[in-house]
Coordinates of all heavy atoms in Angstrom, one line a residue:
A1 N 6.4 0.8 15.2 CA 6.5 2.3 15.0 C 7.8 2.6 14.1 O 7.7 3.4 13.2 CB 6.6 3.0 16.3
K2 N 8.9 1.9 14.3 CA 10.1 2.1 13.5 C 9.8 1.7 12.1 O 10.3 2.4 11.2 CB 11.2 1.2 14.1 CG 11.8 1.7 15.4 CD 12.9 0.8 15.8 CE 13.5 1.2 17.1 NZ 14.6 0.3 17.6
K3 N 9.0 0.7 11.8 CA 8.7 0.3 10.5 C 7.9 1.4 9.8 O 8.1 1.7 8.6 CB 7.9 -1.0 10.4 CG 8.7 -2.3 10.7 CD 7.8 -3.5 10.6 CE 8.6 -4.7 11.0 NZ 7.7 -5.9 11.0
K4 N 6.9 1.9 10.5 CA 6.1 3.0 9.9 C 6.9 4.2 9.6 O 6.7 4.8 8.6 CB 4.9 3.3 10.9 CG 3.9 2.2 11.0 CD 2.8 2.6 12.0 CE 1.8 1.4 12.1 NZ 0.8 1.8 13.1
I5 N 7.8 4.5 10.5 CA 8.7 5.7 10.2 C 9.5 5.5 9.0 O 9.7 6.4 8.1 CB 9.6 6.0 11.5 CG1 8.7 6.5 12.6 CG2 10.7 7.0 11.1 CD1 9.4 6.6 13.9
K6 N 10.1 4.3 8.8 CA 10.9 4.0 7.6 C 10.1 4.1 6.4 O 10.5 4.6 5.4 CB 11.5 2.6 7.7 CG 12.6 2.4 8.7 CD 13.2 1.0 8.7 CE 14.3 0.8 9.7 NZ 14.8 -0.5 9.7
I7 N 8.8 3.6 6.4 CA 8.0 3.7 5.2 C 7.6 5.1 4.9 O 7.7 5.6 3.8 CB 6.7 2.8 5.5 CG1 7.0 1.3 5.5 CG2 5.6 3.1 4.4 CD1 5.9 0.5 6.0
Y8 N 7.3 5.9 6.0 CA 7.0 7.3 5.8 C 8.1 8.1 5.2 O 8.0 8.9 4.3 CB 6.5 7.9 7.1 CG 6.1 9.3 7.0 CD1 4.9 9.7 6.4 CD2 6.8 10.3 7.6 CE1 4.5 11.0 6.3 CE2 6.5 11.7 7.5 CZ 5.3 12.0 6.8 OH 4.9 13.3 6.7
E9 N 9.3 7.8 5.8 CA 10.5 8.5 5.3 C 10.8 8.1 3.8 O 11.2 9.0 3.0 CB 11.7 8.2 6.1 CG 11.7 8.8 7.5 CD 12.8 8.4 8.4 OE1 13.5 7.3 8.2 OE2 13.0 9.1 9.4
F10 N 10.6 6.8 3.5 CA 10.8 6.4 2.1 C 9.8 7.2 1.2 O 10.2 7.7 0.1 CB 10.6 4.9 1.9 CG 10.6 4.5 0.5 CD1 11.8 4.2 -0.1 CD2 9.4 4.3 -0.2 CE1 11.9 3.8 -1.5 CE2 9.5 3.9 -1.5 CZ 10.7 3.6 -2.1
M11 N 8.6 7.3 1.6 CA 7.6 8.0 0.8 C 8.0 9.4 0.6 O 7.9 10.0 -0.5 CB 6.2 7.8 1.4 CG 5.6 6.4 1.3 SD 4.0 6.3 2.1 CE 3.0 7.3 1.0
L12 N 8.4 10.1 1.6 CA 8.8 11.5 1.5 C 10.0 11.7 0.7 O 10.1 12.5 -0.2 CB 9.0 12.1 2.9 CG 7.8 12.3 3.8 CD1 8.2 12.9 5.2 CD2 6.8 13.3 3.1
D13 N 11.0 10.9 1.0 CA 12.3 11.0 0.3 C 12.2 10.7 -1.2 O 13.0 11.3 -2.0 CB 13.4 10.1 0.9 CG 13.8 10.5 2.3 OD1 13.5 11.6 2.7 OD2 14.4 9.7 3.0
N14 N 11.3 9.9 -1.6 CA 11.2 9.5 -3.0 C 9.9 10.0 -3.7 O 9.6 9.6 -4.8 CB 11.2 7.9 -3.1 CG 12.6 7.4 -2.6 OD1 13.5 7.5 -3.3 ND2 12.6 6.9 -1.4
D15 N 9.2 10.9 -3.0 CA 8.0 11.5 -3.5 C 7.0 10.4 -4.1 O 6.6 10.4 -5.2 CB 8.3 12.5 -4.6 CG 7.1 13.3 -5.0 OD1 6.3 13.6 -4.1 OD2 7.1 13.8 -6.1
V16 N 6.8 9.4 -3.2 CA 5.9 8.2 -3.6 C 4.5 8.4 -3.0 O 4.4 8.8 -1.9 CB 6.6 6.9 -3.1 CG1 5.7 5.7 -3.4 CG2 7.9 6.7 -3.7
S17 N 3.5 8.2 -3.9 CA 2.1 8.3 -3.4 C 1.6 7.0 -3.0 O 2.1 5.9 -3.4 CB 1.3 8.9 -4.5 OG 1.1 8.0 -5.6
I18 N 0.5 7.0 -2.3 CA -0.2 5.8 -1.9 C -0.7 5.0 -3.2 O -0.7 3.8 -3.2 CB -1.4 6.1 -1.0 CG1 -2.0 4.8 -0.4 CG2 -2.5 6.9 -1.6 CD1 -1.1 4.1 0.5
N19 N -1.1 5.8 -4.2 CA -1.5 5.1 -5.4 C -0.4 4.3 -6.1 O -0.6 3.2 -6.6 CB -2.0 6.1 -6.5 CG -3.4 6.7 -6.0 OD1 -4.1 6.1 -5.2 ND2 -3.7 7.9 -6.5
E20 N 0.8 4.9 -6.0 CA 2.0 4.1 -6.6 C 2.3 2.9 -5.7 O 2.7 1.9 -6.3 CB 3.2 5.1 -6.6 CG 3.0 6.2 -7.7 CD 4.0 7.3 -7.6 OE1 4.3 7.7 -6.4 OE2 4.5 7.7 -8.6
I21 N 2.2 3.0 -4.4 CA 2.4 1.9 -3.5 C 1.4 0.8 -3.8 O 1.7 -0.4 -3.9 CB 2.3 2.3 -2.1 CG1 3.6 3.2 -1.8 CG2 2.3 1.1 -1.1 CD1 3.6 3.8 -0.4
L22 N 0.1 1.2 -4.0 CA -0.9 0.2 -4.3 C -0.6 -0.5 -5.7 O -0.8 -1.7 -5.8 CB -2.3 0.8 -4.3 CG -2.8 1.2 -3.0 CD1 -4.1 2.0 -3.1 CD2 -3.1 0.0 -2.1
D23 N -0.2 0.3 -6.7 CA 0.2 -0.3 -8.0 C 1.3 -1.3 -7.8 O 1.2 -2.4 -8.4 CB 0.6 0.8 -8.9 CG -0.5 1.7 -9.4 OD1 -1.7 1.2 -9.3 OD2 -0.3 2.8 -9.9
V24 N 2.3 -1.0 -7.0 CA 3.4 -2.0 -6.8 C 2.8 -3.3 -6.1 O 3.2 -4.4 -6.5 CB 4.5 -1.3 -6.0 CG1 5.5 -2.4 -5.5 CG2 5.2 -0.2 -6.8
I25 N 2.0 -3.1 -5.1 CA 1.4 -4.2 -4.4 C 0.6 -5.1 -5.4 O 0.8 -6.3 -5.5 CB 0.5 -3.8 -3.3 CG1 1.3 -3.2 -2.1 CG2 -0.3 -5.0 -2.7 CD1 0.5 -2.5 -1.1
I26 N -0.2 -4.5 -6.2 CA -1.0 -5.2 -7.2 C -0.1 -5.9 -8.2 O -0.3 -7.1 -8.5 CB -2.0 -4.2 -7.9 CG1 -3.1 -3.8 -6.9 CG2 -2.7 -4.9 -9.1 CD1 -3.9 -2.6 -7.3
E27 N 0.8 -5.2 -8.8 CA 1.6 -5.7 -9.9 C 2.6 -6.8 -9.3 O 2.8 -7.8 -10.0 CB 2.4 -4.6 -10.6 CG 1.5 -3.7 -11.4 CD 2.1 -2.5 -11.9 OE1 3.4 -2.3 -11.8 OE2 1.4 -1.6 -12.4
S28 N 3.2 -6.6 -8.2 CA 4.2 -7.5 -7.7 C 3.6 -8.8 -7.2 O 4.2 -9.8 -7.1 CB 5.0 -6.9 -6.6 OG 4.3 -6.6 -5.4
N29 N 2.3 -8.8 -6.9 CA 1.6 -10.0 -6.4 C 0.7 -10.5 -7.5 O -0.1 -11.5 -7.3 CB 0.7 -9.6 -5.2 CG 1.6 -9.4 -4.0 OD1 2.2 -10.3 -3.4 ND2 1.7 -8.1 -3.6
N30 N 0.8 -10.0 -8.7 CA 0.0 -10.4 -9.9 C -1.5 -10.5 -9.5 O -2.2 -11.5 -9.9 CB 0.5 -11.8 -10.4 CG 1.9 -11.7 -10.9 OD1 2.2 -10.8 -11.6 ND2 2.7 -12.7 -10.6
L31 N -2.0 -9.5 -8.8 CA -3.4 -9.5 -8.4 C -4.3 -9.1 -9.6 O -4.0 -8.1 -10.3 CB -3.6 -8.5 -7.3 CG -2.9 -8.8 -6.0 CD1 -3.2 -7.8 -4.9 CD2 -3.2 -10.2 -5.4
I32 N -5.3 -9.9 -9.8 CA -6.3 -9.6 -10.8 C -7.6 -10.1 -10.3 O -7.7 -11.0 -9.4 CB -6.0 -10.3 -12.2 CG1 -5.9 -11.8 -12.0 CG2 -4.8 -9.7 -12.9 CD1 -5.8 -12.6 -13.4
G33 N -8.7 -9.5 -10.7 CA -10.0 -10.0 -10.4 C -10.2 -10.1 -8.9 O -10.2 -9.2 -8.1
V34 N -10.4 -11.4 -8.4 CA -10.7 -11.7 -7.0 C -9.6 -11.2 -6.1 O -9.9 -10.7 -5.0 CB -10.9 -13.2 -6.8 CG1 -11.1 -13.5 -5.3 CG2 -12.1 -13.7 -7.6
G35 N -8.3 -11.2 -6.6 CA -7.2 -10.7 -5.8 C -7.3 -9.3 -5.5 O -7.1 -8.8 -4.3
I36 N -7.8 -8.5 -6.5 CA -7.9 -7.0 -6.3 C -9.1 -6.8 -5.3 O -9.1 -5.9 -4.5 CB -8.1 -6.3 -7.6 CG1 -6.7 -6.4 -8.4 CG2 -8.5 -4.9 -7.4 CD1 -6.8 -5.8 -9.8
V37 N -10.2 -7.5 -5.5 CA -11.4 -7.4 -4.6 C -11.0 -7.7 -3.2 O -11.4 -7.0 -2.3 CB -12.5 -8.3 -5.1 CG1 -13.7 -8.3 -4.1 CG2 -13.0 -7.8 -6.5
S38 N -10.2 -8.7 -3.0 CA -9.7 -9.1 -1.7 C -8.9 -8.0 -1.1 O -9.0 -7.7 0.1 CB -8.9 -10.4 -1.7 OG -8.4 -10.7 -0.5
L39 N -8.0 -7.4 -1.9 CA -7.2 -6.3 -1.4 C -8.1 -5.1 -1.0 O -7.9 -4.5 0.0 CB -6.2 -5.9 -2.5 CG -5.3 -4.6 -2.2 CD1 -4.4 -4.9 -1.0 CD2 -4.5 -4.2 -3.4
Q40 N -9.1 -4.8 -1.8 CA -10.0 -3.8 -1.5 C -10.7 -4.0 -0.2 O -10.9 -3.1 0.6 CB -11.1 -3.7 -2.6 CG -12.1 -2.6 -2.4 CD -13.2 -2.6 -3.5 OE1 -13.1 -3.3 -4.4 NE2 -14.1 -1.7 -3.3
D41 N -11.2 -5.3 0.0 CA -11.8 -5.6 1.3 C -10.9 -5.4 2.5 O -11.3 -4.9 3.5 CB -12.3 -7.1 1.2 CG -13.4 -7.3 0.3 OD1 -14.1 -6.3 -0.2 OD2 -13.7 -8.5 -0.1
Q42 N -9.6 -5.8 2.3 CA -8.7 -5.6 3.4 C -8.4 -4.2 3.7 O -8.3 -3.8 4.9 CB -7.4 -6.3 3.0 CG -7.4 -7.8 3.0 CD -6.2 -8.5 2.5 OE1 -5.1 -8.0 2.8 NE2 -6.3 -9.6 1.8
I43 N -8.3 -3.4 2.7 CA -8.1 -1.9 2.8 C -9.3 -1.3 3.5 O -9.2 -0.5 4.5 CB -7.8 -1.2 1.5 CG1 -6.4 -1.7 1.0 CG2 -7.9 0.3 1.6 CD1 -6.1 -1.2 -0.4
E44 N -10.5 -1.6 3.1 CA -11.7 -1.1 3.7 C -11.8 -1.5 5.1 O -12.2 -0.7 6.0 CB -13.0 -1.6 2.9 CG -13.2 -0.9 1.6 CD -14.3 -1.5 0.8 OE1 -15.0 -2.4 1.3 OE2 -14.6 -1.0 -0.3
E45 N -11.5 -2.7 5.5 CA -11.6 -3.2 6.8 C -10.6 -2.4 7.7 O -10.9 -2.0 8.8 CB -11.4 -4.7 6.9 CG -11.6 -5.3 8.3 CD -13.1 -5.2 8.7 OE1 -14.0 -5.2 7.9 OE2 -13.3 -5.1 9.9
H46 N -9.4 -2.3 7.2 CA -8.4 -1.5 8.0 C -8.8 -0.1 8.2 O -8.7 0.5 9.3 CB -7.0 -1.6 7.2 CG -6.0 -0.9 8.0 ND1 -5.4 -1.4 9.1 CD2 -5.4 0.3 7.8 CE1 -4.5 -0.6 9.6 NE2 -4.4 0.5 8.8
L47 N -9.4 0.5 7.1 CA -9.8 2.0 7.3 C -10.9 2.2 8.2 O -11.0 3.2 8.9 CB -10.2 2.5 5.9 CG -9.0 2.7 4.9 CD1 -9.5 3.1 3.6 CD2 -8.0 3.6 5.4
K48 N -11.8 1.2 8.4 CA -12.9 1.3 9.3 C -12.4 1.5 10.7 O -13.0 2.3 11.4 CB -13.7 0.0 9.3 CG -14.6 -0.2 8.1 CD -15.4 -1.5 8.3 CE -16.2 -1.8 7.0 NZ -16.9 -3.1 7.1

């Protein structure tokens, strides 16, 4: 819960969107092709 609060506060304090966070995840992990598909699958599974 503390981690989630820190992330939420960071997003609010820095006006960061979920799209920007996803861009950072993709770029910092050099995800392309299958990597992006895998990320999509993980996101979909979590959202379910």
Side-chain angles (χ1 to χ4, degrees):
K2 286 180 182 178
K3 286 180 184 178
K4 289 178 182 179
I5 290 169
K6 285 181 184 179
I7 293 167
Y8 182 68
E9 287 174 345
F10 173 83
M11 289 178 68
L12 287 177
D13 292 345
N14 296 285
D15 194 29
V16 176
S17 72
I18 189 67
N19 291 337
E20 292 167 317
I21 291 173
L22 288 171
D23 287 341
V24 169
I25 291 169
I26 291 166
E27 291 169 11
S28 65
N29 290 288
N30 296 316
L31 298 179
I32 57 172
V34 175
I36 293 175
V37 172
S38 177
L39 176 62
Q40 177 184 0
D41 292 344
Q42 291 175 34
I43 291 170
E44 287 176 359
E45 189 63 32
H46 182 74
L47 290 176
K48 284 180 188 177

